[in-house]
Amino acid sequence: MLQAKPLNLDVLQLFIALMAFFPFVLFGMMRRPNLAMAGSIALYVVARHLDWNLSAYPDGRWYFNPFCWQLLFVLGAWLALSGAKAMRTIHALQKLSILRIAALLYLLFALTVTLAGKFPQLAAMMPEPVLEIFLPNDKENIAPYRVLHFLALAFLVSYLVPRDWRGFQWPALQPLMKCGEEWLPVFCAGVFLSFAGHFILITGPDSLAVQILVSIAGMAAMTGVAYYVSWSRRQDQKPALPRNPDEAATLVPTAHSQYEHGSIGWPDRSSQTSARQQSCSTDLPATMPRI
């Protein structure tokens, strides 16, 4: 089934394959994280050099090579599970202005090259060897400059947006954050919405207003899916309540729960003493003198 090439489901197909092997990655990350990261880098280099990939049905290969894209997956796990020492090293590097400037310049360079691939006027202004290196963009095997682009972007964003940033509480960002929390249902809904939006665009009027309206409607629908899934999960986590009062009355609580919730008071010391004396007086033989 994973050999098929479903339209717009390449990311989900890659995610299934990576999650199948993630327990082994996590096992290594919990014990030797640096060694596991080195193994991931080695697999990435070998897969690119030997052109490893999985075959697809009925022909072709996977659009996202799992042997190469696993590098980003493992890198995210390594950053998430890295200790305090590694975090202090990363924060120290982020304080170097020369590294922040280099990351920003590389992002601007990547933006220029990407735009040059779409606008011939801009491509004519750039050196031909540069375009031959970076265009066409290698997504299948995630070229090294794409990995560097990800690292530069994460380097700057994590520095400019700290974990305790107050902007995360802004109401305008809540829909975006909710879609990120429920990314899988949103992604699946977006696949079906893309077909609906494409159908509307090819059958309706070809205007910018229609394209903007379809985009806004699609984003609103995916946001609604995210909020519904989150609300449904909260409903499932609520404790089950009795269906009717008669059913609640038939539930006989244990003595411990009765005492705990106060339905039956704890016996006081005087009642316990009198009960013990009464029990002793009735159990003694009649020939023995009573004290």
Side-chain angles (χ1 to χ4, degrees):
M1 182 177 64
L2 290 178
Q3 289 183 342
K5 293 190 296 184
L7 184 62
N8 296 334
L9 287 178
D10 306 281
V11 177
L12 185 60
Q13 187 181 40
L14 173 67
F15 187 77
I16 293 174
L18 294 180
M19 286 300 295
F21 292 95
F22 185 69
F24 305 99
V25 176
L26 184 60
F27 179 83
M29 283 291 174
M30 297 301 294
R31 287 157 178 81
R32 298 289 182 87
N34 295 332
L35 183 61
M37 190 69 241
S40 175
I41 296 175
L43 177 60
Y44 168 79
V45 174
V46 172
R48 284 186 55 85
H49 180 71
L50 300 180
D51 197 23
W52 288 354
N53 198 350
L54 298 180
S55 59
Y57 178 83
D59 55 7
R61 309 194 304 178
W62 280 33
Y63 184 75
F64 296 110
N65 186 351
F67 298 109
C68 296
W69 278 87
Q70 54 81 27
L71 178 63
L72 293 186
F73 200 79
V74 178
L75 180 61
W78 182 79
L79 291 174
L81 298 176
S82 56
K85 183 178 179 181
M87 288 294 99
R88 286 194 298 267
T89 303
I90 294 176
H91 292 329
L93 293 176
Q94 289 177 331
K95 293 180 180 179
L96 299 177
S97 58
I98 186 173
L99 292 181
R100 298 198 303 268
I101 295 175
L104 179 60
L105 292 177
Y106 183 78
L107 292 178
L108 293 176
F109 170 75
L111 176 62
T112 305
V113 173
T114 303
L115 293 177
K118 299 180 180 297
F119 300 99
Q121 299 84 355
L122 183 59
M125 301 171 57
M126 300 189 64
E128 190 67 24
V130 174
L131 297 180
E132 292 179 356
I133 295 176
F134 295 98
L135 295 177
N137 205 339
D138 185 10
K139 284 186 178 181
E140 177 182 342
N141 297 317
I142 185 168
Y145 53 81
R146 293 184 64 90
V147 179
L148 184 59
H149 182 274
F150 168 78
L151 293 176
L153 187 62
F155 185 82
L156 286 181
V157 171
S158 60
Y159 174 77
L160 297 175
V161 184
R163 182 177 301 180
D164 55 350
W165 183 49
R166 291 185 298 177
F168 290 136
Q169 306 299 328
W170 293 351
L173 293 181
Q174 298 308 309
L176 182 62
M177 296 174 62
K178 185 62 66 175
C179 289
E181 294 173 358
E182 308 293 345
W183 68 271
L184 184 57
V186 170
F187 172 78
C188 296
V191 172
F192 293 97
L193 291 174
S194 64
F195 290 109
H198 182 69
F199 177 77
I200 294 175
L201 292 177
I202 63 177
T203 57
D206 186 13
S207 63
L208 180 61
V210 174
Q211 296 181 13
I212 295 177
L213 183 61
V214 170
S215 299
I216 295 176
M219 290 186 292
M222 289 187 291
T223 303
V225 169
Y227 275 99
Y228 171 76
V229 172
S230 179
W231 172 83
S232 178
R233 184 177 291 108
R234 291 196 303 269
Q235 300 304 312
D236 295 338
Q237 294 175 353
K238 288 184 178 180
L241 298 176
R243 299 179 181 177
N244 50 61
D246 296 336
E247 182 179 354
T250 58
L251 299 177
V252 181
T254 61
H256 178 75
S257 62
Q258 290 175 334
Y259 291 141
E260 181 180 3
H261 296 286
S263 58
I264 297 179
W266 290 99
D268 55 2
R269 184 178 301 273
S270 60
S271 61
Q272 292 179 349
T273 305
S274 59
R276 188 181 301 112
Q277 291 177 354
Q278 183 179 0
S279 175
C280 293
S281 61
T282 54
D283 294 340
L284 290 175
T287 57
M288 294 185 62
R290 300 182 181 273
I291 300 175

